[in-house]
Amino acid sequence: MSHVASVELVINDIASLGAAASRLGCTFKRGQKEHRWYGRFLADSEIGRQTAEEFNAKTFGTCEHAIEVPGSDYDIGVVKNPTGAGYRLIYDQYGPNGHAIAEKLGGQSLPELKSEYGAVRATRYLQRQGYRVVRRVLANGQIKLSGIR
């Protein structure tokens, strides 16, 4: 079965996404044009049907880049945003492989990857502005950045 889901995040900085994936123990595969998934879209889940409304189901499995997640035989595909600029993330969340991706990255919506991407992107921006950045992870898992001149 396939339960292909998109992640509500627009990626505008591929280098920051790659750094975020690496920080979380994943492998960013720049330029990889296919990502591993079930291999067939069956339209057998609500999440899959919703994703197919936004993305063309015939292109599931193709991507611009991919993220390999340890413990899963599936990848996260980095695909062109169908509704605007940038990229979006898409992955098959069904079965042990999909669950391994969600477990590694904090849940089905991949909150740890989204948070880490935001933190890396903000850190790079602050550093370009001349700040030294101090990073703290709070008890609730949130990342707090402080810029010091």
Side-chain angles (χ1 to χ4, degrees):
M1 283 203 241
S2 63
H3 293 86
V4 177
S6 67
V7 177
E8 292 299 319
L9 174 69
V10 175
I11 305 294
N12 292 309
D13 182 346
I14 292 297
S16 290
L17 178 63
S22 294
R23 284 188 71 99
L24 294 169
C26 300
T27 304
F28 186 74
K29 299 193 166 192
R30 183 179 293 274
Q32 182 171 309
K33 298 299 182 190
E34 294 184 352
H35 64 94
R36 299 173 299 165
W37 68 300
Y38 181 70
R40 284 188 305 149
F41 178 63
L42 303 175
D44 60 349
S45 72
E46 183 60 29
I47 191 86
R49 287 187 293 275
Q50 289 172 353
T51 303
E53 287 177 14
E54 188 173 9
F55 296 84
N56 181 349
K58 292 178 182 175
T59 65
F60 287 170
T62 63
C63 58
E64 299 299 314
H65 314 282
I67 299 172
E68 182 179 318
V69 179
S72 179
D73 289 332
Y74 292 169
D75 300 319
I76 301 168
V78 182
V79 300
K80 289 184 179 177
N81 183 1
T83 59
Y87 298 90
R88 297 272 300 280
L89 305 177
I90 192 168
Y91 76 106
D92 191 338
Q93 54 182 210
Y94 183 75
N97 287 305
H99 294 157
I101 290 172
E103 185 175 304
K104 173 75 175 162
L105 299 173
Q108 286 187 334
S109 65
L110 312 182
E112 290 181 16
L113 180 58
K114 292 190 313 190
S115 179
E116 191 63 46
Y117 168 74
V120 169
R121 188 155 187 224
T123 297
R124 289 175 178 217
Y125 173 79
L126 290 168
Q127 287 172 335
R128 284 193 306 269
Q129 302 303 311
Y131 289 90
R132 184 174 63 86
V133 179
V134 177
R135 174 191 171 109
R136 283 190 321 152
V137 179
L138 305 177
N140 64 5
Q142 288 184 322
I143 300 168
K144 181 174 182 174
L145 303 174
S146 301
I148 303 167
R149 279 229 188 227

